Amino acid sequence: MKRKIASLLVGCMMLGMAACGSQAASSDKAPEDKVYAVEAGSAGEAAAKDKGYQYNSVSSQADALMEVASGTSDAAIIDLLMAGAMIGEGTSYPDLIHTDELTTEEYGAGCRKGSDLASYINEVLADTYADGTMKEIAEKYGVQESLVEQKDAKYEAAASDSDVSYIQDKGTLIVGITDFEPMDYKDASGEWIGFDADMARLVAEKLGVEIQFVEIDWDTKSMELDSKNIDVVWNGMTLTDEVTSAMECTNAYCNNAQVVVEPQK
């Protein structure tokens, strides 16, 4: 699995749309005639809108794959990192393949607008990149080829209304997620694992608090933050203009792309 994701990242991201598309047999339908399953509020949905594609919005990228497998939708638009973990030989969907790469993008975590938690996370990202911890975690989940180099960063505490102090006072860092392998997903015992989950645990440890993972509706993630139901969105979130205008975002830590997934012909 790790080798599969790494090879997908190297091959697809470096060779681009033309090379990725050549790996798959073409569908009988033209792209504009297909119906694509996309996660509501996701970069995949944004890509479908930008291309003028017909699409069905579903609650998660996993549901988008189920739509394609069941024949309800012709194709799905999901993250390349998830495609590497979920489709192809030896996965949950061995008969699905990814074809076109529609976008290139970067992942970051999102906090409440003006929150000093983003600065705190940036320091952890920088420190763990420098000492090799981030790479070790990335290798565990097969995403090491997607890591973005982290520059030195130092936490700058807010002069007032500090989110970091608020989290430390309540003793829990609440992380908003969806089920998204290999970033956040459950192991056989029901514990949340994944690259993002493990990185979030490091932040909680440094803060000296417990961690709690809460599954959210991705389309309402900003509202979940603003209402303080969660403290951070950390789930392979693409740093779009919409996201960065609504949240205080961390530095980018992973490269990604939106790819089309469809049945192998």
Side-chain angles (χ1 to χ4, degrees):
M1 181 68 71
K2 296 176 184 177
R3 290 192 296 271
K4 182 176 185 293
I5 297 173
S7 63
L8 278 170
L9 287 163
V10 172
C12 193
M13 285 185 173
M14 294 185 65
L15 295 178
M17 184 184 299
C20 287
S22 68
Q23 294 174 8
S26 60
S27 171
D28 294 336
K29 292 183 178 180
E32 60 271 18
D33 295 328
K34 296 178 183 178
V35 177
Y36 297 82
V38 298
E39 181 183 33
S42 70
E45 184 178 65
K49 288 180 181 178
D50 183 62
K51 295 288 185 180
Y53 291 166
Q54 304 174 66
Y55 64 89
N56 292 325
S57 295
V58 295
S59 61
S60 69
Q61 294 189 73
D63 287 345
L65 291 177
M66 290 175 63
E67 288 265 320
V68 181
S70 67
T72 309
S73 297
D74 298 307
I77 302 175
I78 67 169
D79 290 55
L80 175 62
L81 288 174
M82 186 176 200
M86 295 292 288
I87 69 171
E89 184 179 355
T91 70
S92 302
Y93 297 99
D95 298 325
L96 299 184
I97 56 173
H98 75 278
T99 56
D100 291 344
E101 180 181 329
L102 302 180
T103 67
T104 56
E105 57 200 41
E106 293 178 320
Y107 283 163
C111 309
R112 284 178 278 277
K113 200 66 178 176
S115 172
D116 60 348
L117 179 60
S119 174
Y120 194 95
I121 293 172
N122 282 338
E123 181 175 281
V124 175
L125 294 176
D127 290 347
T128 56
Y129 187 89
D131 68 16
T133 302
M134 182 186 287
K135 183 178 179 182
E136 289 179 9
I137 294 173
E139 288 174 342
K140 181 179 178 181
Y141 297 104
V143 300
Q144 65 274 13
E145 299 294 342
S146 72
L147 289 183
V148 174
E149 181 180 359
Q150 300 296 301
K151 297 180 180 179
D152 289 343
K154 296 299 179 184
Y155 166 54
E156 295 183 8
S160 62
D161 197 24
S162 167
D163 249 5
V164 169
S165 295
Y166 162 73
I167 292 163
Q168 289 175 326
D169 287 344
K170 67 187 175 80
T172 307
L173 175 67
I174 305 176
V175 184
I177 60 170
T178 63
D179 191 341
F180 175 19
E181 189 176 351
M183 311 312 279
D184 293 295
Y185 63 103
K186 288 183 178 180
D187 64 12
S189 65
E191 181 180 2
W192 286 103
I193 61 172
F195 178 74
D196 283 352
D198 285 8
M199 292 299 299
R201 282 192 178 89
L202 291 180
V203 172
E205 289 173 9
K206 185 173 180 181
L207 285 166
V209 300
E210 298 296 319
I211 194 164
Q212 179 182 354
F213 295 99
V214 175
E215 287 190 83
I216 60 172
D217 180 342
W218 196 245
D219 207 23
T220 61
K221 52 188 176 292
S222 294
M223 289 185 284
E224 294 284 353
L225 279 172
D226 293 341
S227 63
K228 292 195 172 182
N229 290 332
I230 61 175
D231 299 310
V232 59
V233 177
W234 204 334
N235 194 77
M237 182 176 68
T238 301
L239 295 175
T240 62
D241 291 342
E242 181 181 2
V243 164
T244 55
S245 65
M247 304 179 193
E248 196 71 32
C249 293
T250 67
N251 295 331
Y253 59 85
C254 270
N255 291 305
N256 186 46
Q258 294 301 310
V259 296
V260 174
V261 171
E262 57 188 15
Q264 188 166 12
K265 301 299 182 180

